[in-house]
Amino acid sequence: MDYKNFIGGAWLATAESTPNVNPSDTTDILGHAAKGTVADLDRAIDASHAAAPEWATSTPQQRFDVLDFIGTEILARKEELGTLLSREEGKTLPEGIGEAARAGQIFKFFAGEALRQTGDRLDSVRPGVEIDITRSPVGVIGLITPWNFPIAIPAWKLAPAICYGNTVILKPAELVPGCAHALVEIISRSGLPAGVVNLVMGRGSELGPRMIDSDKVNAISFTGSVPTGRGIAAACGANLKKVQLEMGGKNPMVVLDDADLELAVDACLNGAFFSTGQRCTASSRLIVTEKIHDQFVATLYDRMMALKVGHALEAGIQMGPVVDQRQLEQNLSYTEIAGKEGGKVLGGQQLELATKGFFMAPALISETTNAMRINREEVFGPVASVVRVKDYDEALYVANDTEFGLSAGICTTSLKYAQHFKRNAQAGMVMVNLPTAGVDYHVPFGGTKGSSFGSREQGRYAAEFYTTVKTAYTLP
Ligand code: NAD
């Protein structure tokens, strides 16, 4: 399969291409992806810019029809798209299908939102004058996405962008061109005018800066790593460009003595190791009070070691491979560092299985302190560490002692501690007796501190980023 770029309503090949490798079996090449150049990107920016006035004045019905078409088709093909996702990115098949379904639901949600756009009408403080406050599209938006949610993250940027009348250039991560291509192929048949959605695959370090420097691009929505995000924010600031960043996490999950042990272990197993730990909301720091600590670690260890690791498409597999060799090496190096710093490393070894893939056993590192690198830096793999604390107060302090602030969880049967944690955890999303990862599609998503910058994604809050507010005064 050749994945071409989609520019101005046409599928265009490039001189160079990149192989799309299955991380469960590196002999399985899914296809070759276009390697877009700066000239390709410039064409896509021009097409987006040219299409902007028409789409900005499209009716709510047109927007509903397009978004509903896309959502309906994704949901109808969720097994096929989920299989592609799992083959390309390595999450297990149920996880892949679940993510594809979620992408469909996001489009359906924003189809409804297209019909529900409202403004405010107020009387002026001056006699006889009326005021209308309305939302207008931002214009041309660059969407830069990571590899770990290859269909859901493009969907949660594309759907609101289209819903609120913008045009876009999607630049997906190099490792997952297949999902972006499949999504844009559906979009290409949805009735959207040419140029409203463009797809340019290629190197982020080459295309990203060009997108940000272009006068024709009005805003950038980025999800990815902290260093890339910081560079984008600085460049957007210099260009006075609207920007939204969703970046890393070092998400704490507090387990108190009064927690339901089975529930806490389930939540931590899911939060730390599902999707191979490759979730920005993964529970990577398990902060456990001392009376429950030993039993919690022993039970979680047993459950973790029982997880079936293997080829993402194989039935019964509970944890797929790591996405690529570089990420695998990073994970292994962090477990080694944690061991050298004094942590007790359980599991975490590289695995040789029937197919040649990037497999590792999940890792649990106990006896760590929050000052260790393993608790300060994002690993982005199936690696969780445990910090033993005295009581709730120390747990909250340790949970907040991080530069990140995406998601935070607590397992407790105490209403008092649950309420206090919800109010005082420094995170954009807080979970009580639920994994830190796993969120709904109709409510805002995003973090505080070093995890996010700009307005929230998803739900009705997406309008903050994808629109600009206009205040009109009229003397009738
Ligand atoms: P990454 O930063 O390497 O790449 C993300 C995207 O940015 C890719 O499309 C890449 O091509 C592009 N890019 C690279 N250099 C660029 C540049 N100089 N200018 C513009 N774009 C550039 O991240 P990744 O490895 O693909 O994804 C993993 C990271 O994403 C993790 O840190 C994870 O926490 C984060 N993530 C965050 C969220 C969230 O919502 N907070 C969700 C998923 C993933």
Side-chain angles (χ1 to χ4, degrees), residues 145 147-148 171 174 223-225 228 246-247 280 378 380 445:
T145 55
W147 49 261
N148 64 327
K171 208 309 281 170
E174 292 91 317
T223 302
S225 63
T228 312
E246 291 298 343
M247 301 174 285
C280 48
E378 185 179 48
F380 218 56
F445 178 94

Side-chain angles (χ1 to χ4, degrees), residues 1 19 46 57 86 160 178 209 220-221 224 232 236 245 253 331 346 475:
M1 172 93 184
D46 286 344
T57 52
S86 295
I220 300 285
S221 178
I232 289 175
C236 285
L245 310 174
M253 171 58 104
N331 299 348
L346 308 165
L475 179 62

Side-chain angles (χ1 to χ4, degrees), residues 143-149 153 156-157 171-175 202-212 220 222-229 231-232 245-249 278-281 323 326-327 378 380 404 406 429 445-447 451-452 457:
L143 309 178
I144 303 175
T145 55
W147 49 261
N148 64 327
F149 283 93
I153 292 181
W156 82 49
K157 296 184 190 296
K171 208 309 281 170
E174 292 91 317
L175 286 173
R203 283 179 66 87
S205 53
E206 196 183 322
L207 302 180
R210 181 67 164 207
M211 218 185 239
I212 296 161
I220 300 285
F222 167 84
T223 302
S225 63
V226 174
T228 312
I232 289 175
L245 310 174
E246 291 298 343
M247 301 174 285
Q278 297 174 149
R279 294 188 284 188
C280 48
T281 48
V323 76
R326 206 179 61 153
Q327 185 65 51
E378 185 179 48
F380 218 56
F404 297 105
L406 191 56
M429 294 172 291
F445 178 94
S451 288
S452 302
E457 300 205 76

Side-chain angles (χ1 to χ4, degrees), residues 90-110:
K91 43 186 78 147
T92 65
L93 192 53
E95 290 170 338
I97 295 170
E99 186 184 329
R102 182 178 174 174
Q105 287 159 337
I106 290 168
F107 278 97
K108 290 282 197 181
F109 173 83
F110 282 104

Side-chain angles (χ1 to χ4, degrees), residues 173-411:
E174 292 91 317
L175 286 173
V176 288
C179 286
H181 184 272
L183 182 57
V184 173
E185 195 283 321
I186 294 171
I187 292 173
S188 75
R189 292 181 284 100
S190 66
L192 264 185
V196 175
V197 169
N198 302 276
L199 169 68
V200 181
M201 293 172 272
R203 283 179 66 87
S205 53
E206 196 183 322
L207 302 180
R210 181 67 164 207
M211 218 185 239
I212 296 161
D213 283 343
S214 168
D215 290 341
K216 291 179 183 162
V217 176
N218 304 99
I220 300 285
S221 178
F222 167 84
T223 302
S225 63
V226 174
T228 312
R230 281 183 181 271
I232 289 175
C236 285
N239 283 294
L240 297 183
K241 197 153 287 187
K242 193 171 188 181
V243 63
Q244 172 185 58
L245 310 174
E246 291 298 343
M247 301 174 285
K250 198 72 211 174
N251 309 292
M253 171 58 104
V254 170
V255 179
L256 296 185
D257 289 344
D258 66 18
D260 174 328
L261 182 70
E262 283 307 311
L263 184 148
V265 168
D266 274 347
C268 292
L269 192 77
N270 174 320
F273 306 121
F274 286 14
S275 296
T276 320
Q278 297 174 149
R279 294 188 284 188
C280 48
T281 48
S283 316
S284 46
R285 292 185 299 139
L286 312 179
I287 301 163
V288 187
T289 48
E290 51 197 11
K291 285 205 194 82
I292 201 173
H293 177 278
D294 292 355
Q295 204 188 353
F296 170 83
V297 171
T299 315
L300 180 60
Y301 174 68
D302 288 347
R303 295 280 305 281
M304 176 188 94
M305 293 312 282
L307 285 177
K308 288 200 194 78
V309 180
H311 194 299
L313 296 178
E314 213 177 290
I317 290 300
Q318 292 166 294
M319 195 179 102
V322 172
V323 76
D324 69 356
Q325 181 66 31
R326 206 179 61 153
Q327 185 65 51
L328 178 64
E329 281 166 13
Q330 179 168 312
N331 299 348
L332 297 173
S333 109
Y334 267 108
T335 53
E336 195 185 322
I337 291 166
K340 284 194 184 139
E341 284 183 309
K344 185 174 161 202
V345 182
L346 308 165
Q349 64 281 18
Q350 189 170 354
L351 300 174
E352 303 266 329
L353 301 178
T355 51
K356 202 172 160 327
F358 309 114
F359 299 107
M360 70 177 281
L364 187 64
I365 303 160
S366 63
E367 310 304 337
T368 71
T369 69
N370 204 43
M372 292 178 179
R373 279 185 65 192
I374 193 67
N375 286 320
R376 309 231 62 99
E377 298 166 24
E378 185 179 48
V379 178
F380 218 56
V383 181
S385 47
V386 185
V387 182
R388 187 197 305 256
V389 290
K390 194 164 75 283
D391 54 17
Y392 170 75
D393 290 340
E394 190 184 352
L396 178 65
Y397 175 81
V398 171
N400 287 338
D401 178 21
T402 172
E403 69 178 83
F404 297 105
L406 191 56
S407 182
I410 188 166
C411 289

